[in-house]
Amino acid sequence: MPLMMSEEGFENDESDYHTLPRARMMQRKRGLEWLVCGGWKCLCTSCCDWLMNICQTKKELKARTVWLGCPEKCEEKHPRNSIKNQKYNIFTFIPGVLYEQFKFFLNLYFLVVSCSQFVPALKIGYLYTYWAPLGFVLAVTLTREAIDEFRRFQRDKEMNSQLYSKLTVRGKVQVKSSDIQVGDLIIVEKNQRIPSDMVFLRTSEKAGSCFIRTDQLDGETDWKLKVAVSCTQRLPALGDLFSINAYVYAQKPQLDIHSFEGTFTREDSDPPIHESLSIENTLWASTVVASGTVIGVVIYTGKETRSVMNTSNPKNKVGLLDLELNRLTKALFVALVALSVVMVTLQGFVGPWYRNLFRFLLLFSYIIPVSLRVNLDMGKAAYGWMIMKDENIPGTVVRTSTIPEELGRLVYLLTDKTGTLTQNEMIFKRLHLGTVSYGTDTMDEIQSHIINSYSQMHSQASGNTASSTLPRKAQSSAPKVRKSVSSRIHEAVKAIALCHNVTPVYEPRASVGGETEFAEADQDLSDENRTYQASSPDEVALVQWTESVGLTLVSRDLTSMQLKTPSGHILTYCILQMFPFTSESKRMGIIVRDEATAEITFYMKGADIVMSTIVQYNDWLEEECGNMAREGLRTLVVAKRMLTEEQYQDFESRYSQAKLSLHDRALKVAAVVESLEREMELLCLTGVEDQLQADVRPTLELLRNAGVKIWMLTGDKLETATCIAKSSHLVSRTQDIHIFRPVTSRGEAHLELNAFRRKHDCALVISGDSLEVCLRYYEHEFVELACQCPAVVCCRCSPTQKAHIVKLLQQHTGRRTCAIGDGGNDVSMIQAADCGIGIEGKEGKQASLAADFSLTQFRHVGRLLVVHGRSSYKRSAALGQFVMHRGLIISTMQAVFSSVFYFASVPLYQGFLMVGYATIYTMFPVFSLVLDQDVKPEMALLYPELYKDLTK
């Protein structure tokens, strides 16, 4: 990025001339000339970057047209593609660190006292008497910050210096990540990080798609399938990307990582080719290519990438102990002033009394101990080291050294459910067909039905094809004919095996050249070599179950899917359309054509809330969903609809038209899809279970006995969350549960809050929608009632709602909060809490990296809080009191000395004796309190009530 725009460059900036009035243009030109002529060229790059950052924050983000391989055609200037996690630069480092130190009253006071020694009339000792302790404190702080800052700089430099292949007219050239521009064609190899937001143009994979890993973007470890733009994927060679005249129209940069709207246009063909671009055609920065080699055109760089826009600057957490010590320091200062005034008063205000007053303030300044912060900081470092070296909680990482004692004062623990209290490992538990239900002990019956139905189908061969198509086509017009249980099971299992976004992946084989490639589906379809990849563990659990009962998914690409029957026959289905799951729609669908019979079927599965209005009338769905949820199962409703060729062609034309629209595309596409979602045939209801983590129950019991109130915040449905709360003993068996009824208005919220107020010692279960209504109208009343509950469960919570609940508790109660989670959706909650704990789970390390403390298992929370948190707080409190006591001793001796000698403002101890007393001489005895232990860890765990006293 240039330091200063030249005058010529300014005049050539067409966007400014089009948007700014002439007078403002001249004004800006004159301002620019003044800057250049005034000698401001000597300004450092970092200062200029800072000014440009300010300009960029005010600059309105706009949609853009990006020409393939032509960065020079970009109409606007875009930010550099550099990563910067540093807090300071070479010029702002010392001022920044000093500001962070001197905003504390303790250090500011000693700075004023030390500076006063340069005034001869106020000098009462050697300069080093005051400057040595202060200098030592600042040297320790500056060194620690410099090391951290240098590590951040090295990490940034390493990321920005990564080399990528850039495609140009002259061939491939190597380019640094920080030098990549909007419009560049970048080649990314397998297992390489994607450097910027790109539209996916080509891949080396024959299917025209690739997998990417997104664990550092959204916290999910499952691979995501991405699809190349078909127009560029069809080109014979890489160089042809420069022989075509094409551009990408991309929406303005946004926060949402799950949506994208754009179009691809090739102008040199007749007629011009227009192709709709969606989220499946994008490659976001910070994700990693998991298969093949990809080529993409850069559309967003630097601060405009999705990953950077979703990175919130975490607040600088300050512990309650530090705030309390700051207040104590102010109280000691008041005592110091009072003592000095008393001494001057007893002296009789003789001579220059104000000078004597200031000298007394300096003499008694040791009441406020300058070494307090040094001792505490060293103590905190020791506590962190002890936590990481504890063999009973292996793998624990302390990512901040400023708040370990916060672990000893927690009153509220806000926890995620999936992956934190549960293992995020789904097991298929139940299949319900309306009249009959199958559990884990009767799955062999389903298997026998599947084997029989497919053996009959293959034995009858062509005759069976004709007989099976006729009744199905007649179903839409003729009255319903009751099907046999066997045929209903066959339809349900086939639907589950087809309606998903799962892809079977086979282990790579070494080729002759030494490179690895994915084995083709028809080369190695052995079950041992197959793994499933999907965006949700629920999906994988369903496909693994269909495999266990005999119908196996063996291959899948963008256009087809193959299933293997129990007898080994391969059934091929052509994928006509895919409607992925979104948090708004809460359902996913697929349209497939059976290549054997040419039948077109629309399958759909989703949450019971949305599916109940889509499927045909039935009298069992709602009741059975409630029953399964009470067992702690996640439910999915599966339905289908047969389509004629004419119906599908009509739908496809309307759907393609909606996908190309530039305005309200999502609404138009949803409206077209909803036209199909009418009177669908209900096939079955499935239930999968998430297993509890090890030792969840004893851990929650321990925390509850320690006086910690536990709130569970989850995105899951109300019944499932309630069941997990009971099975994990978050809610004890003796306690009642009040399920807050859904409310939509102020009046309903008022009535429901009154009903809840009449309950005593009762756990609360509330949905995110009802919570929003209550907080809008009765925030204070609701939080007051909820805080009296022994446990609270908030279901259907979004990530922003989780963070909002944390902040509400902090504001209304003033108590210390702790948030614990394992996924990217828990990061905002973890960063908002006074103390954030991340668990390294199956959803990646995003929560772990954003947290103050990182654990490997939830059960380690008990020991972390009850043993380490308690001891850290007690030791820091004792250390603070002892250091202050030490300062009071020396100040009392000075007061007695001055009183005996006619209130003379003369120091009792000179020179290094005072410096040594406050630092070296008494440091080791005082610091030994860091190793103090009032009870053994085993006793602290046996009597968690000891922890409760610390919150007072």
Side-chain angles (χ1 to χ4, degrees):
M1 190 179 284
L3 224 114
M4 198 77 69
M5 290 177 70
S6 68
E7 192 172 327
E8 292 78 19
F10 192 92
E11 288 176 348
N12 289 333
D13 189 353
E14 294 178 12
S15 61
D16 275 319
Y17 267 103
H18 286 304
T19 54
L20 288 174
R22 184 73 185 170
R24 282 184 63 196
M25 285 299 302
M26 294 307 295
Q27 185 181 354
R28 281 179 62 176
K29 278 185 69 177
R30 282 196 296 271
L32 191 66
E33 287 166 5
W34 177 82
L35 277 174
V36 174
C37 297
W40 285 74
K41 283 183 180 177
C42 60
L43 279 174
C44 63
T45 310
S46 57
C47 293
C48 198
D49 281 345
W50 177 70
L51 288 169
M52 287 185 175
N53 289 343
I54 293 173
C55 297
Q56 281 175 359
T57 53
K58 292 179 182 177
K59 180 180 144 186
E60 186 184 352
L61 298 172
K62 296 177 184 175
R64 60 194 60 180
T65 299
V66 180
W67 292 84
L68 266 59
C70 301
E72 63 278 0
K73 280 193 180 182
C74 288
E75 296 172 358
E76 293 188 12
K77 298 292 181 188
H78 300 295
R80 284 189 72 213
N81 193 49
S82 57
I83 294 170
K84 188 177 181 185
N85 292 309
Q86 293 165 251
K87 288 161 69 175
Y88 314 101
N89 58 40
I90 195 167
F91 296 99
T92 59
F93 174 71
I94 291 178
V97 175
L98 291 180
Y99 168 74
E100 286 296 323
Q101 288 302 302
F102 291 125
K103 72 180 182 182
F104 281 101
F105 180 79
L106 177 72
N107 291 349
L108 183 63
Y109 166 76
F110 256 89
L111 177 67
V112 172
V113 167
S114 301
C115 289
S116 69
Q117 293 306 288
F118 290 112
V119 180
L122 301 176
K123 190 175 180 183
I124 57 173
Y126 298 109
L127 278 177
Y128 65 77
T129 309
Y130 289 91
W131 279 100
L134 184 64
F136 178 69
V137 171
L138 294 178
V140 169
T141 306
L142 284 166
T143 305
R144 189 181 64 192
E145 283 292 328
I147 292 169
D148 289 345
E149 188 69 4
F150 183 68
R151 285 175 180 164
R152 283 191 286 268
F153 167 74
Q154 283 186 313
R155 284 198 298 269
D156 290 348
K157 187 178 179 183
E158 185 182 345
M159 296 294 279
N160 292 328
S161 300
Q162 281 186 348
L163 293 176
Y164 291 88
S165 294
K166 174 180 164 183
L167 208 60
T168 65
V169 183
R170 296 180 299 278
K172 295 180 187 177
V173 294
Q174 293 290 303
V175 61
K176 285 184 181 179
S177 173
S178 57
D179 294 333
I180 290 172
Q181 296 176 292
V182 172
D184 282 345
L185 296 177
I186 302 297
I187 301 171
V188 187
E189 306 287 344
K190 182 182 175 183
N191 292 326
Q192 202 173 12
R193 185 185 68 89
I194 294 168
S196 57
D197 287 356
M198 305 195 295
V199 166
F200 184 15
L201 298 179
R202 283 178 69 87
T203 175
S204 59
E205 299 286 284
K206 292 178 183 176
S209 62
C210 78
F211 283 105
I212 62 167
R213 295 197 297 269
T214 62
D215 50 349
Q216 293 308 314
L217 182 67
D218 59 9
E220 296 178 2
T221 53
D222 302 294
W223 294 5
K224 304 289 192 305
L225 186 71
K226 296 293 178 179
V227 184
V229 176
S230 57
C231 177
T232 47
Q233 180 66 24
R234 288 196 302 266
L235 294 174
L238 271 180
D240 294 334
L241 287 169
F242 287 97
S243 63
I244 63 171
N245 191 24
Y247 65 85
V248 169
Y249 173 81
Q251 64 180 167
K252 68 179 183 180
Q254 292 183 342
L255 280 166
D256 190 1
I257 60 173
H258 301 297
S259 70
F260 175 75
E261 290 181 9
T263 52
F264 177 89
T265 305
R266 181 177 174 182
E267 288 190 332
D268 58 343
S269 62
D270 191 24
I273 297 172
H274 297 283
E275 203 171 322
S276 170
L277 300 178
S278 65
I279 185 67
E280 65 181 8
N281 305 116
T282 58
L283 302 168
W284 295 146
S286 296
T287 58
V288 176
V289 177
S291 64
T293 301
V294 303
I295 296 99
V297 59
V298 177
I299 52 171
Y300 307 123
T301 52
K303 294 174 184 173
E304 293 178 347
T305 60
R306 293 290 204 269
S307 59
V308 175
M309 291 182 82
N310 276 280
T311 305
S312 57
N313 292 324
K315 64 175 184 179
N316 195 14
K317 295 184 181 180
V318 179
L320 184 60
L321 187 85
D322 290 327
L323 298 174
E324 287 172 343
L325 285 170
N326 207 40
R327 286 197 294 270
L328 269 174
T329 305
K330 292 174 184 175
L332 288 172
F333 178 71
V334 172
L336 165 66
V337 172
L339 181 59
S340 301
V341 169
V342 167
M343 297 299 282
V344 171
T345 306
L346 292 173
Q347 199 181 33
F349 291 100
V350 293
W353 62 269
Y354 51 86
R355 192 180 72 182
N356 290 334
L357 175 66
F358 205 96
R359 285 176 65 87
F360 276 122
L361 285 172
L362 296 173
L363 286 171
F364 298 139
S365 62
Y366 283 94
I367 285 180
I368 302 172
V370 70
S371 59
L372 177 59
R373 289 196 63 82
V374 181
N375 282 319
L376 282 176
D377 285 351
M378 290 169 70
K380 288 173 182 180
Y383 306 145
W385 183 81
M386 290 175 194
I387 291 170
M388 289 195 282
K389 291 296 179 185
D390 189 344
E391 294 177 356
N392 294 295
I393 48 173
T396 301
V397 179
V398 178
R399 300 195 187 279
T400 177
S401 60
T402 55
I403 55 169
E405 64 279 335
E406 289 290 280
L407 293 167
R409 324 187 64 169
L410 300 176
V411 178
Y412 292 98
L413 178 70
L414 299 100
T415 174
D416 178 40
K417 180 182 78 70
T418 307
T420 304
L421 298 180
T422 61
Q423 294 179 14
N424 203 16
E425 280 184 6
M426 304 299 173
I427 298 173
F428 192 95
K429 286 285 186 179
R430 185 147 311 191
L431 179 74
H432 206 294
L433 301 171
T435 54
V436 60
S437 175
Y438 295 94
T440 47
D441 52 345
T442 52
M443 291 300 177
D444 53 341
E445 289 183 35
I446 295 177
Q447 190 172 8
S448 61
H449 281 299
I450 294 294
I451 292 169
N452 291 336
S453 60
Y454 275 108
S455 61
Q456 286 175 17
M457 184 183 294
H458 295 311
S459 63
Q460 293 173 7
S462 59
N464 188 52
T465 308
S467 63
S468 63
T469 44
L470 289 172
R472 284 179 192 156
K473 286 189 177 177
Q475 275 173 25
S476 56
S477 55
K480 273 209 264 186
V481 179
R482 183 175 284 278
K483 296 180 181 178
S484 67
V485 171
S486 183
S487 66
R488 287 165 64 200
I489 289 173
H490 171 239
E491 283 294 330
V493 173
K494 186 169 80 170
I496 295 169
L498 288 171
C499 186
H500 52 71
N501 65 356
V502 180
T503 304
V505 176
Y506 296 89
E507 285 301 313
R509 274 179 324 163
S511 63
V512 180
E515 297 179 351
T516 60
E517 57 185 18
F518 278 93
E520 293 295 323
D522 57 351
Q523 290 174 338
D524 185 7
L525 298 182
S526 61
D527 293 343
E528 305 81 38
N529 196 36
R530 186 190 308 113
T531 56
Y532 294 113
Q533 287 297 341
S535 56
S536 164
D538 302 49
E539 300 258 88
V540 175
L542 292 172
V543 174
Q544 285 174 339
W545 174 76
T546 63
E547 181 183 352
S548 71
V549 296
L551 198 57
T552 307
L553 175 70
V554 290
S555 77
R556 180 186 184 144
D557 57 28
L558 297 176
T559 56
S560 67
M561 203 185 308
Q562 289 185 321
L563 302 180
K564 188 169 73 175
T565 65
S567 56
H569 288 81
I570 299 293
L571 306 175
T572 304
Y573 293 87
C574 181
I575 300 172
L576 301 177
Q577 298 290 347
M578 267 285 296
F579 314 112
F581 177 90
T582 64
S583 54
E584 291 79 26
S585 68
K586 296 182 173 62
R587 59 190 182 274
M588 65 100 33
I590 187 171
I591 301 177
V592 296
R593 179 190 277 122
D594 188 339
E595 291 204 351
T597 62
E599 287 179 344
I600 299 176
T601 314
F602 174 37
Y603 290 107
M604 177 164 276
K605 71 176 180 199
D608 57 295
I609 297 172
V610 292
M611 293 297 288
S612 58
T613 59
I614 291 171
V615 298
Q616 294 169 350
Y617 173 76
N618 62 85
D619 56 1
W620 60 271
L621 181 61
E622 187 177 346
E623 183 183 350
E624 290 304 328
C625 281
N627 291 339
M628 283 195 191
R630 279 186 282 277
E631 293 176 36
L633 304 181
R634 284 192 184 185
T635 55
L636 277 175
V637 181
V638 184
K640 77 166 187 176
R641 180 182 171 187
M642 306 298 294
L643 300 175
T644 63
E645 189 68 39
E646 295 77 27
Q647 284 175 324
Y648 174 70
Q649 292 301 333
D650 172 57
F651 164 79
E652 187 184 34
S653 63
R654 290 185 292 122
Y655 188 64
S656 300
Q657 192 175 352
K659 284 208 299 184
L660 282 171
S661 59
L662 295 177
H663 302 289
D664 298 326
R665 179 188 293 181
L667 290 173
K668 290 175 183 175
V669 168
V672 175
V673 176
E674 281 173 17
S675 67
L676 281 186
E677 299 169 351
R678 306 250 171 90
E679 288 294 298
M680 296 187 74
E681 180 188 346
L682 174 58
L683 295 177
C684 65
L685 177 65
T686 65
V688 293
E689 183 183 42
D690 200 350
Q691 303 290 298
L692 280 177
Q693 292 274 14
D695 294 330
V696 161
R697 290 170 186 149
T699 302
L700 292 176
E701 191 72 29
L702 175 78
L703 294 172
R704 202 162 40 242
N705 291 335
V708 179
K709 290 185 178 180
I710 301 160
W711 289 33
M712 185 169 82
L713 314 179
T714 176
D716 221 328
K717 63 191 296 181
L718 187 139
E719 292 87 351
T720 311
T722 307
C723 181
I724 294 294
K726 287 178 181 174
S727 61
S728 64
H729 294 181
L730 175 66
V731 178
S732 65
R733 293 176 182 176
T734 57
Q735 285 172 345
D736 290 332
I737 294 180
H738 177 80
I739 296 177
F740 207 89
R741 285 187 305 156
V743 295
T744 54
S745 64
R746 181 174 188 147
E748 290 177 359
H750 182 72
L751 290 171
E752 193 59 27
L753 280 170
N754 282 341
F756 177 45
R757 188 178 278 110
R758 289 191 284 272
K759 302 278 183 77
H760 296 287
D761 192 38
C762 178
L764 172 67
V765 179
I766 186 170
S767 69
D769 295 337
S770 301
L771 180 70
E772 280 291 313
V773 175
C774 290
L775 294 178
R776 192 181 308 137
Y777 300 114
Y778 299 105
E779 181 180 297
H780 183 75
E781 292 84 350
F782 174 79
V783 176
E784 188 180 355
L785 286 171
C787 289
Q788 293 170 6
C789 296
V792 177
V793 177
C794 298
C795 55
R796 298 292 192 204
C797 266
S798 67
T800 49
Q801 275 182 321
K802 290 182 177 183
H804 186 49
I805 292 167
V806 172
K807 291 170 185 170
L808 276 175
L809 283 175
Q810 291 169 339
Q811 290 166 6
H812 284 270
T813 66
R815 299 295 189 131
R816 308 316 274 174
T817 58
C818 175
I820 179 167
D822 74 317
N825 59 333
D826 303 315
V827 168
S828 53
M829 169 176 77
I830 286 170
Q831 290 181 339
D834 297 304
C835 181
I837 300 175
I839 294 178
E840 288 187 24
K842 289 184 170 59
E843 292 188 21
K845 292 188 175 183
Q846 198 170 359
S848 160
L849 292 169
D852 305 307
F853 301 90
S854 169
L855 303 178
T856 54
Q857 294 181 50
F858 179 81
R859 63 193 180 100
H860 295 161
V861 175
R863 187 176 181 89
L864 183 69
L865 267 58
V866 175
V867 175
H868 291 286
R870 180 180 178 277
S871 60
S872 296
Y873 174 44
K874 285 188 75 72
R875 289 164 176 172
S876 286
L879 186 66
Q881 290 173 354
F882 205 91
V883 172
M884 288 182 181
H885 182 251
R886 182 184 66 187
L888 284 168
I889 290 172
I890 200 78
S891 299
T892 305
M893 292 168 70
Q894 177 66 52
V896 171
F897 173 77
S898 294
S899 301
V900 169
F901 288 94
Y902 306 101
F903 308 105
S905 53
V906 179
L908 169 59
Y909 298 114
Q910 292 283 343
F912 201 80
L913 193 59
M914 284 296 290
V915 180
Y917 175 79
T919 53
I920 298 169
Y921 300 156
T922 56
M923 186 176 74
F924 293 106
V926 170
F927 193 69
S928 66
L929 287 169
V930 169
L931 307 172
D932 188 37
Q933 191 179 79
D934 60 338
V935 294
K936 290 184 178 179
E938 295 75 22
M939 294 299 287
L941 289 167
L942 188 61
Y943 299 104
E945 293 80 5
L946 293 168
Y947 183 91
K948 201 183 293 185
D949 292 337
L950 305 187
T951 59
K952 292 177 181 175

